[in-house]
Amino acid sequence: MYVALDAVSIGKNTFLLRNEKSLSDVWQDLFDRRNAAKRHRYPEELINNYDKFFLPGDSGGETLRDAVTGDELKEEDARRLSNDDDGNEYVSELNWKQVFLGKKLRDAELLVISDGPLTYWSERDFIDPAGLGFCFYFLSKKDVETRREELQSSADKVKIISLKADANGNCDFLNTGVQGYNNVFGFDFLGGNDFPKDEEGYPLTFDKLAGKSDFKRLGYLRMDVDNLGMIFRSGLPKEMITLSRYAALSRNLDWFFKGYINTIWKEKYHQDTSIIYSGGDDLFLIGRWDKVLEFGNDIRKSFKKYVCFNPSFSLSGGIAIVPGKYPVKKASVDSEIMEKRAKSHFYENNVNGDGSLIEKAAITVLGIPLNWDNEYDTIEGLKDILVEKLTQKDNFLPKSFITKIETHHSMALRSGKSEAATDDTSFIKEIPPKVKWMMAYDFGRMAYRMKDNDVKNLVKQCQRDIFSNTINNKKINTKYHSLELWNLAARLAELQMRTQNTKNKF
């Protein structure tokens, strides 16, 4: 883990707009200095701990290893992960503290921060981040009630943060029972303050979270706000730039990612997904792959409403779809790669006839970056129609339709004119005549055999779209050929049906 810190000095003339350098210019300087610090992460460590970085350090064999990171541990530095006598998993002191913090945060209703330990809570564990002398106590309201009289007379100069609202969503942070002298009261939210549970109330394992069907897959989704640094640097007119407006912007983003996201989760996704992290301007979700993707789309739509449909604010993300027992560390890296691919995506917007490019505002699904509002919504619509026709009770669309689309797509990529992208993928520019003839034959025969008119028309529409490079007879502004969009929709429909154990399954 690494923290990049830096600072710049500001004079009063900057605040009073008396010189050419505005707060946005200062913000740019700060970003440049911080980015420079990121490129030189460990200069002191490299000098003072040369052996640690450049000489072999592992002993191998039966050496004790951290159950989380896999690093070797010295016996005197190891902490047992479980209090059970039979527990044989050990972690480092740092990882043990993180596990301890996670357990406390789950049930905590109040966070009390003091400058040094509090004698009247000597029986309570606290953490001292970075060893700076500030003690963090995670308490319930019951803890406070039992000490109400003592606290009212002695709880001085502490910060009391309410972490949970009541059942009606009220954040009554002024009536905590801690009413000493010169205290600071406030409230905060925790993005991901609950988790899916089994029948006995224990957290679901990742393997169970992946679903109950024969086809079990987890989705790891990373998302964050696009161009936030640019918004801070140039999103406000020069005469309106103040520290209070910067603080308000940061605070309101935090409220969405740490507060409202919990509401979305509880309404629809609390049984199938888990919020690993959410706060600031980004989030990290894990759960059954289709629910995670749906959750991410709902977050995107809610965020658009939250920022009043301001086009300057958008979200980009990437999802890695993996088996339930796939290494978490590797899946996290995979989702990060997918997110970067989305942030490198450009969509050509011809609505105004100017051919302008929309950067980012995308989601990477099955390795393919898609603009949220146009490409992804188009594919989701096609996928829903396919699932509906594949699962209808009588005269359903045969699953061979999915296979034929995937086969023709593969043939077009191999033998047609395709173009390599910067993200190690390729996309079709033109379908060769041979593939067109085979598609006309396959889809023509299939449509002829279909008894249901809606299914027959769907097969014909698919063929018509691919031949004319349209979707529902409308030209699409995208670098992807219509065959690629239909193929991606077909792959998602197949995965969804296998996940949900529907009839006519694959």
Side-chain angles (χ1 to χ4, degrees):
M1 298 180 67
Y2 172 78
V3 179
L5 298 175
D6 218 308
V8 292
S9 59
I10 307 176
K12 64 179 182 180
N13 289 332
T14 300
F15 290 103
L16 298 175
L17 303 177
R18 290 178 177 174
N19 56 21
E20 296 180 356
K21 201 167 190 177
S22 66
L23 270 178
S24 62
D25 298 322
V26 174
W27 196 264
Q28 178 66 58
D29 292 343
L30 182 59
F31 266 78
D32 292 341
R33 292 171 67 95
R34 186 208 60 183
N35 292 337
K38 284 184 176 181
R39 292 191 291 269
H40 304 280
R41 292 193 173 188
Y42 309 110
E44 295 180 2
E45 285 289 320
L46 289 170
I47 296 172
N48 299 330
N49 297 291
Y50 178 89
D51 293 354
K52 179 179 179 181
F53 281 87
F54 298 106
L55 295 181
D58 289 354
S59 302
E62 299 295 327
T63 306
L64 203 61
R65 289 188 175 272
D66 190 302
V68 176
T69 65
D71 295 335
E72 290 190 356
L73 293 173
K74 296 179 181 179
E75 288 192 19
E76 60 269 23
D77 298 330
R79 296 289 297 267
R80 192 187 293 270
L81 190 58
S82 172
N83 292 327
D84 299 336
D85 294 335
D86 297 332
N88 58 357
E89 291 186 319
Y90 293 85
V91 293
S92 66
E93 180 72 17
L94 176 61
N95 284 334
W96 185 88
K97 287 182 177 179
Q98 292 185 64
V99 173
F100 166 80
L101 177 59
K103 291 179 179 178
K104 290 293 183 181
L105 280 174
R106 183 179 63 194
D107 301 319
E109 296 174 296
L110 297 173
L111 168 61
V112 177
I113 307 172
S114 63
D115 186 359
L118 297 173
T119 56
Y120 41 82
W121 267 320
S122 58
E123 78 282 4
R124 293 294 178 183
D125 293 319
F126 63 86
I127 63 169
D128 179 8
L132 299 177
F134 290 95
C135 300
F136 287 64
Y137 294 86
F138 298 93
L139 308 169
S140 67
K141 291 182 179 179
K142 184 177 180 181
D143 293 329
V144 173
E145 288 295 331
T146 57
R147 295 291 183 88
R148 176 178 289 273
E149 293 183 4
E150 183 179 359
L151 295 175
Q152 286 180 338
S153 61
S154 61
D156 298 334
K157 298 181 180 179
V158 297
K159 189 172 184 179
I160 304 101
I161 307 296
S162 296
L163 297 177
K164 291 184 178 179
D166 62 21
N168 297 319
N170 298 320
C171 301
D172 188 10
F173 60 92
L174 292 176
N175 296 311
T176 61
V178 186
Q179 303 291 335
Y181 170 74
N182 199 24
N183 292 329
V184 176
F185 297 88
F187 69 93
D188 204 350
F189 301 110
L190 293 175
N193 57 6
D194 206 346
F195 48 83
K197 304 177 182 69
D198 61 17
E199 294 79 4
E200 298 179 358
Y202 291 102
L204 288 180
T205 63
F206 282 177
D207 190 44
K208 291 182 178 179
L209 197 59
K212 298 179 180 179
S213 67
D214 296 333
F215 182 80
K216 302 200 296 186
R217 291 294 184 272
L218 277 177
Y220 288 72
L221 175 66
R222 288 179 179 269
M223 291 176 67
D224 71 3
V225 179
D226 297 321
N227 302 318
L228 187 58
M230 182 67 69
I231 292 172
F232 271 91
R233 292 192 296 269
S234 55
L236 294 172
K238 183 177 180 180
E239 64 276 6
M240 294 183 64
I241 297 175
T242 62
L243 291 179
S244 61
R245 286 192 172 96
Y246 279 148
L249 174 58
S250 179
R251 179 179 63 248
N252 282 291
L253 287 175
D254 212 34
W255 283 349
F256 179 85
F257 285 98
K258 291 170 66 175
Y260 186 63
I261 192 172
N262 293 316
T263 300
I264 304 174
W265 181 82
K266 289 178 181 178
E267 288 176 351
K268 295 176 61 177
Y269 305 102
H270 62 280
Q271 294 181 332
D272 304 293
T273 68
S274 181
I275 302 172
I276 302 302
Y277 168 78
S278 183
D281 71 323
D282 60 349
L283 57 87
F284 184 26
L285 311 175
I286 295 179
R288 204 178 84 184
W289 76 270
D290 55 331
K291 293 297 183 180
V292 166
L293 189 56
E294 184 182 342
F295 190 10
N297 195 21
D298 274 357
I299 291 172
R300 185 261 303 195
K301 293 176 180 178
S302 297
F303 185 72
K304 287 182 67 174
K305 295 179 181 178
Y306 188 77
V307 298
C308 302
F309 298 93
N310 188 325
S312 299
F313 290 90
S314 62
L315 296 175
S316 287
I319 183 172
I321 301 175
V322 299
K325 295 183 179 180
Y326 192 80
V328 175
K329 186 175 181 180
K330 183 67 169 62
S332 175
V333 173
D334 292 346
S335 64
E336 183 179 11
I337 294 172
M338 295 299 103
E339 182 186 31
K340 290 180 179 178
R341 189 172 292 182
K343 287 187 172 293
S344 301
H345 183 59
F346 287 87
Y347 172 79
E348 186 174 351
N349 180 25
N350 286 327
V351 174
N352 298 323
D354 56 1
S356 60
L357 294 177
I358 299 177
E359 182 186 8
K360 305 178 181 180
I363 177 71
T364 301
V365 182
L366 299 179
I368 300 176
L370 305 162
N371 175 267
W372 275 114
D373 291 328
N374 299 282
E375 295 163 333
Y376 177 78
D377 283 351
T378 297
I379 287 173
E380 186 181 35
L382 293 176
K383 183 262 296 180
D384 291 341
I385 293 173
L386 288 174
V387 171
E388 177 188 345
K389 299 306 176 185
L390 285 162
T391 57
Q392 67 184 26
K393 187 175 181 179
D394 298 314
N395 299 318
F396 51 77
L397 179 68
K399 63 183 181 182
S400 59
F401 179 75
I402 299 294
T403 307
K404 290 186 182 299
I405 291 179
E406 294 175 350
T407 300
H408 293 311
H409 175 262
S410 297
M411 291 179 61
L413 276 179
R414 289 197 304 268
S415 59
K417 294 181 180 180
S418 60
E419 184 172 312
T422 57
D423 51 20
D424 297 326
T425 61
S426 59
F427 54 92
I428 300 168
K429 293 194 68 177
E430 185 178 335
I431 300 178
K434 177 182 177 180
V435 178
K436 286 186 177 181
W437 278 110
M438 294 185 66
M439 291 176 63
Y441 175 77
D442 285 340
F443 289 153
R445 289 191 62 188
M446 182 175 289
Y448 178 77
R449 293 196 299 265
M450 294 298 101
K451 297 179 180 180
D452 186 282
N453 286 331
D454 289 340
V455 172
K456 185 190 296 286
N457 291 333
L458 177 63
V459 176
K460 291 181 178 180
Q461 185 65 56
C462 176
Q463 178 183 338
R464 190 160 48 245
D465 282 347
I466 294 172
F467 281 16
S468 59
N469 196 18
T470 59
I471 293 293
N472 294 325
N473 303 323
K474 295 181 181 179
K475 199 69 178 175
I476 48 176
N477 299 320
T478 175
K479 68 179 181 181
Y480 301 118
H481 194 279
S482 176
L483 175 56
E484 290 180 290
L485 300 182
W486 271 97
N487 178 66
L488 183 54
R491 291 172 65 192
L492 289 172
E494 176 185 359
L495 294 179
Q496 181 171 317
M497 290 179 62
R498 293 175 65 186
T499 300
Q500 297 176 354
N501 271 343
T502 54
K503 292 183 178 180
N504 192 27
K505 66 180 181 180
F506 293 79

